[in-house]
Amino acid sequence: MGILDNITKLLDERKIKQIELTNYLGVTKNTFSNWKSGRTQSYMKYLPQIAEFLGVSVDSLSGNKICTSNIQKFFDVGYDEQTGVLPVYGTISAGLGIVAEETLLDFEAADKRYIDGNHFYLKVKGDSMIPIINDGDLLLVNKQSTLDNGDLGAFIIDGEEGIVKKYEYTGKQINLISFNIYYPTKEFVGADMERVQIVGKVVELKRKF
C-alpha cells in the first residue's frame, strides 16, 4: 500500500473529510484530487504535517522507515513540475547474490514521465556488472514481466535472490549474463526457467560521486 493509500485509509477510518486535511495544510480543495490522479506529488513535503494531523508517525504513513529530510529537500530546492520523486528499494544483488529486500530505503528525484506507479529505483550491491554498473548505483526499473534479448533486467531467483543481469532467451533456456568477465553466465534450462522471475527492465542508471 502506498503513502497516499495509507493517508486515504486513515482519513476514512477517522471519518475525516479530505477538505479538512487540505484546510489544515493550507492548500486548495482540489489539491487532494491532484494527488490521487498523480498530477503532483506535493503531499511528500507535507508528510510531517499530515502525520501530525492524523496522530501517527511519518514512518507509519510510508509503511516503512523513510528519510523525511530527503523527501523535503526535493521540494525545498525548487524542482519544477517536470520532476517528482520515486522510492528507492534495496538491495538487489549484482554480485554473488543476496536476499532481495522489500525495504524502502529512501526517495530519489526522477523525471515526471516516470512518476506513474510503475517505476522505482533499486540500489545495486556487488561488482558482477562492472565496468557498466558499480556497487551503490541506483537503477531505474520499469516493472514488467517480459524482456527482449539484450535488455538489462532485474530478476528474482527462486523467490528470494535478487540480481541484475543482461537477459537472453533462446527458446530452450534463459541466460542471465554478467558484464564482469570473472562472473559466469547463469543458465536456466527447461523446467529451471521457472525459477527466474522478471522484476522489470532497467531503463536508467544514476550514479553519485
Side-chain angles (χ1 to χ4, degrees):
M1 183 178 291
I3 293 174
L4 196 57
D5 293 326
N6 286 334
I7 294 171
T8 302
K9 181 174 181 288
L10 287 169
L11 288 173
D12 290 341
E13 288 177 351
R14 288 160 170 72
K15 301 188 185 309
I16 300 173
K17 295 179 180 179
Q18 293 174 4
I19 194 170
E20 294 179 62
L21 174 59
T22 54
N23 285 342
Y24 176 81
L25 298 175
V27 297
T28 66
K29 64 181 181 180
N30 293 325
T31 298
F32 205 95
S33 297
N34 290 333
W35 292 347
K36 292 175 71 174
S37 68
R39 285 192 289 270
T40 176
Q41 287 185 304
S42 62
Y43 60 87
M44 291 289 197
K45 70 176 179 179
Y46 294 110
L47 285 184
Q49 296 98 311
I50 295 173
E52 182 179 23
F53 178 77
L54 294 172
V56 298
S57 68
V58 173
D59 288 345
S60 67
L61 285 182
S62 74
N64 219 316
K65 296 285 184 183
I66 60 175
C67 182
T68 306
S69 61
N70 279 353
I71 297 173
Q72 182 83 44
K73 73 182 179 183
F74 294 121
F75 298 94
D76 289 344
V77 298
Y79 279 102
D80 59 31
E81 287 300 313
Q82 297 307 308
T83 305
V85 291
L86 288 175
V88 178
Y89 294 104
T91 50
I92 188 161
S93 173
L96 297 177
I98 62 171
V99 175
E101 303 169 1
E102 295 289 329
T103 306
L104 177 60
L105 299 179
D106 207 342
F107 286 86
E108 183 69 26
D111 189 280
K112 191 65 178 287
R113 70 181 185 275
Y114 296 127
I115 313 300
D116 57 3
N118 206 45
H119 288 79
F120 60 94
Y121 283 107
L122 283 173
K123 189 172 184 179
V124 173
K125 183 181 175 105
D127 63 356
S128 76
M129 301 303 284
I130 62 171
I132 307 300
I133 301 173
N134 294 336
D135 182 78
D137 284 346
L138 296 181
L139 301 180
L140 181 62
V141 179
N142 179 41
K143 288 185 285 187
Q144 57 188 72
S145 59
T146 62
L147 293 171
D148 294 326
N149 279 340
D151 283 346
L152 188 63
F155 307 89
I156 298 295
I157 309 300
D158 295 328
E160 58 179 22
E161 179 189 351
I163 60 175
V164 175
K165 300 291 178 187
K166 182 179 176 181
Y167 177 78
E168 181 181 79
Y169 175 62
T170 68
K172 295 183 179 180
Q173 72 181 62
I174 292 174
N175 297 322
L176 301 182
I177 304 166
S178 299
F179 292 146
N180 188 331
I181 62 173
Y182 294 104
Y183 284 79
T185 295
K186 292 179 178 287
E187 300 178 348
F188 301 86
V189 182
D192 277 347
M193 291 191 292
E194 298 297 322
R195 297 168 54 199
V196 180
Q197 175 192 345
I198 298 173
V199 176
K201 179 181 178 180
V202 176
V203 296
E204 188 176 286
L205 180 150
K206 180 174 286 193
R207 180 171 298 158
K208 295 183 178 181
F209 298 96

